[in-house]
Amino acid sequence: MIAQHTMIRTRFAPSPTGYLHIGGARTALFSWAFARHHAGTFILRIEDTDLERSTPESVDAILQGMSWLNLDYDEGPFYQMQRMPRYKEVLAQLLASGLAYYCYASKEEVETMREQQRAAGLKPRYDGRWRPEPGKTLPAIPDNVQPVVRFKNPVEGSVAWRDLVKGTIEISNAELDDLIIARPDGTPTYNFCVVVDDWDMNITHVIRGDDHVNNTPRQINILKALGATLPLYGHVPMILGADGERLSKRHGAVSVMQYLEEGFLPEALLNYLARLGWGHGNEEVFDMTQFVEWFNLEAISRSPAKFDPEKLLWINQQYLKAADNERLATLVRPFMEQQIGPLASTPPLAEVVQLLKERVGTLVELADAAHLFYRYIEPAAELLEQHLTAETVPALQQLTAQFAQIEWTRESIHDAIKAAVADSGLKMPKIAMPLRVIAAGVTQTPSIDATLALIGQDTVVQRLQQQLAKAVI
RNA sequence: GGAAGGUUCGUCUAGCUGGCCUAGGACACCACCCUUUCACGGUGGGUACACGGGUUCGAAUCCCGUACCUUCUACCA
């Protein structure tokens, strides 16, 4: 139990080396939900100390992703590059107190050392050649070598913590070596920045991917050396692709924003992500308010989950069906206009959406299905040939005459078609299919009366007259 | 190679303080129903406790071993 008087503070700390991906988004979601559940504070921190790979574009992409998903943060974004003076201050402190030391071994030297260890079947680790010990003589400091700074990790014992997701984890200090906390140019490395940040920002719960499990004992050791209060840790398993390997570009969409482009609703993605590796009884479809209420770290699965695009699609469909027509119209419009240009004002897009939203899985599909209401799809010759026959054309001609006269509502269209069916003695599909083909250009539409009603009386009658006149029987 | 974690239907999972489990739900799949096409919806169906030992009257649930999976093993984060 967490003492309730302690204000809970969590953070999401991505490195800006690309878009916000699915795995990161889920970690962010869990961290966010935990903070919200406890009425705590959620912090966004950009870990941009890798100058080689960090880009401003990636920062924007991450911010955009968070915003689209509605994962709001209370503090930040903080940028590690802006906290350099603070890191250097702590670094100097560690150096001065003998808890860290300079290492003059070159990159190449360390690499050959590791090679030898590997060849000998040993675990590759820094051998401590520059680590000061009482009574030990250090090598002569070479000229022209800028040293790195290494943390003096404890040699004996082990580090253990009660992981909020995985239970107690214990790692022997023998597994850890003296990690580099500052590069030759003086810039601090990841594990050090994280420690200083989590400490300074009073993070109470570190919720992150379980690829960080092995960093945790190192960070705990540094935190202890600094005399800091330790946060609690919870490591959530990775998301795997269908083939069981870590989710990557090969598996299709991994960028959160790509789901926006593919016509997914943010709440659907969130719902899916929440269910991936976490469950609350048999609940499948729930909103974020509900999720926040239910969320707990203990229920997170300890094993990695595979990403299933099919189920995401299904959830998206559930949200589409339930979504407000006007909102959906606003969301789907750009998809349509990108394809067919500005939309006419009739039929009202919201009404078209109302008719179609239960039949599609994404906004892209919705847009595709809605196109026929705004531009004529010329029926293919084979379709006309197939559906305009000696037995159907007379009935259709009569129906067209009816259509020209009736009040243009779904009900009266329905009645007129029913009458045509009765008069001609034909089966309903014999009438309905040619109507679809002529009026919509396709064989798959919602119920024919509703479809015709939205296409409009003049348009429908005109198309019928035109095609029936051309029909060769 | 070493370390850490994991292993319930094809997938996500419920269950894991042992008996209510001849293992539940959802996606996907198949069949049927509905039907004005395609969908939606409804009903039904098949498929899972990795393997081997133990503890116990009784194990998916506890213990041990084996196999397999994932992650980490950077002057990346």
Side-chain angles (χ1 to χ4, degrees):
Chain A
M1 264 316 261
I2 305 305
Q4 285 304 305
H5 60 265
T6 309
M7 181 67 161
I8 281 171
R9 294 170 63 84
T10 68
R11 57 19 171 231
F12 174 52
S15 50
T17 56
Y19 40 67
L20 175 61
H21 58 86
I22 290 297
R26 191 186 60 151
T27 307
L29 171 64
F30 286 169
S31 202
W32 172 87
F34 187 76
R36 293 287 170 265
H37 178 85
H38 293 283
T41 304
F42 178 57
I43 296 162
L44 178 63
R45 184 169 80 215
I46 305 293
E47 312 216 316
D48 54 356
T49 54
D50 182 359
L51 273 355
E52 308 267 309
R53 301 193 302 151
S54 299
T55 65
E57 291 74 31
S58 299
V59 173
D60 287 345
I62 289 165
L63 263 26
Q64 270 177 34
M66 296 289 285
S67 156
W68 182 59
L69 290 176
N70 245 301
L71 296 176
D72 56 318
Y73 36 89
D74 307 297
E75 292 179 20
F78 296 111
Y79 295 86
Q80 290 188 322
M81 284 309 287
Q82 293 174 5
R83 290 177 38 78
M84 279 302 148
R86 173 58 180 154
Y87 303 137
K88 290 186 177 170
E89 180 187 1
V90 180
L91 211 48
Q93 195 179 308
L94 240 29
L95 242 14
S97 54
L99 294 163
Y101 60 93
Y102 288 112
C103 168
Y104 292 85
S106 70
K107 223 172 187 173
E108 295 70 32
E109 192 183 337
V110 172
E111 194 44 52
T112 50
M113 177 199 74
R114 271 197 279 259
E115 288 301 327
Q116 286 167 356
Q117 288 167 333
R118 255 188 286 265
L122 299 169
K123 181 187 174 74
R125 56 198 298 282
Y126 178 68
D127 61 5
R129 58 187 65 178
W130 286 94
R131 177 181 171 118
E133 299 286 6
K136 176 180 170 185
T137 319
L138 262 19
I141 294 178
D143 294 330
N144 305 321
V145 174
Q146 281 297 311
V148 297
V149 178
R150 286 185 185 269
F151 174 68
K152 206 171 173 187
N153 198 76
V155 182
E156 305 286 321
S158 64
V159 186
W161 74 96
R162 202 186 117 258
D163 196 274
L164 270 12
V165 175
K166 292 172 180 284
T168 299
I169 298 180
E170 179 172 6
I171 294 177
S172 166
N173 275 320
E175 290 300 322
L176 276 23
D177 60 6
D178 290 351
L179 77 159
I180 293 175
I181 56 176
R183 306 180 178 90
D185 65 2
T187 57
T189 58
Y190 168 76
N191 277 110
F192 184 70
C193 298
V194 167
V195 162
V196 176
D197 286 347
D198 286 341
W199 181 29
D200 285 353
M201 296 173 191
N202 292 309
I203 302 300
T204 58
H205 299 254
V206 173
I207 297 160
R208 61 194 357 175
D210 75 2
D211 48 337
H212 287 291
V213 168
N214 300 275
N215 289 324
T216 304
R218 299 174 184 284
Q219 295 180 5
I220 287 177
N221 281 153
I222 299 176
L223 247 8
K224 280 180 177 166
L226 255 18
T229 313
L230 299 179
L232 265 23
Y233 294 91
H235 289 94
V236 321
M238 304 276 89
I239 299 178
L240 273 24
D243 57 2
E245 285 182 37
R246 192 173 177 165
L247 202 60
S248 73
K249 276 182 187 158
R250 281 191 303 105
H251 301 104
V254 281
S255 160
V256 161
M257 294 313 272
Q258 198 171 330
Y259 287 92
L260 165 63
E261 288 164 25
E262 290 181 7
F264 287 83
L265 261 20
E267 62 268 37
L269 217 209
L270 247 16
N271 191 156
Y272 176 71
L273 254 21
R275 277 290 288 117
L276 201 57
W278 179 88
H280 187 264
N282 288 332
E283 301 294 340
E284 296 288 349
V285 181
F286 45 81
D287 64 20
M288 286 301 105
T289 306
Q290 189 59 261
F291 177 56
V292 164
E293 191 179 309
W294 286 335
F295 185 68
N296 61 324
L297 292 168
E298 297 72 33
I300 294 177
S301 166
R302 298 182 181 190
S303 52
K306 290 180 186 165
F307 190 84
D308 181 8
E310 296 276 5
K311 187 149 187 182
L312 205 212
L313 198 61
W314 176 77
I315 290 193
N316 200 236
Q317 187 176 188
Q318 302 306 306
Y319 278 89
L320 247 20
K321 276 161 66 173
D324 175 72
N325 295 332
E326 293 294 343
R327 175 185 173 220
L328 244 30
T330 306
L331 292 175
V332 80
R333 183 179 292 274
F335 286 99
M336 297 182 69
E337 298 193 331
Q338 192 186 326
Q339 294 291 315
I340 60 174
L343 261 36
S345 56
T346 55
L349 188 49
E351 286 180 33
V352 172
V353 161
Q354 158 74 28
L355 194 58
L356 297 170
K357 68 178 180 180
E358 296 198 355
R359 317 163 61 81
V360 296
T362 66
L363 290 171
V364 170
E365 286 175 28
L366 181 57
D368 287 344
H371 285 158
L372 69 88
F373 292 96
Y374 298 94
R375 61 125 165 70
Y376 190 33
I377 300 171
E378 201 70 40
E382 309 92 76
L383 283 179
L384 290 170
E385 205 174 306
Q386 185 187 341
H387 293 285
L388 298 185
T389 64
E391 57 174 355
T392 60
V393 167
L396 290 166
Q397 278 166 337
Q398 208 181 324
L399 184 54
T400 303
Q402 281 293 308
F403 279 171
Q405 294 171 8
I406 61 173
E407 185 199 356
W408 202 247
T409 63
R410 180 176 179 169
E411 291 69 31
S412 43
I413 294 170
H414 180 258
D415 292 345
I417 294 174
K418 278 286 187 199
V421 168
D423 292 351
S424 64
L426 293 168
K427 299 272 192 200
M428 179 58 108
K430 289 281 187 186
I431 299 290
M433 289 311 284
L435 286 176
R436 280 200 173 83
V437 168
I438 293 172
V442 294
T443 53
Q444 296 170 13
T445 76
S447 66
I448 189 64
D449 46 10
T451 304
L452 295 182
L454 280 179
I455 291 175
Q457 188 166 28
D458 293 348
T459 310
V460 168
V461 171
Q462 187 198 325
R463 287 176 187 174
L464 280 167
Q465 285 170 343
Q466 203 178 327
Q467 295 296 351
L468 289 172
K470 284 196 294 184
V472 184
I473 305 165

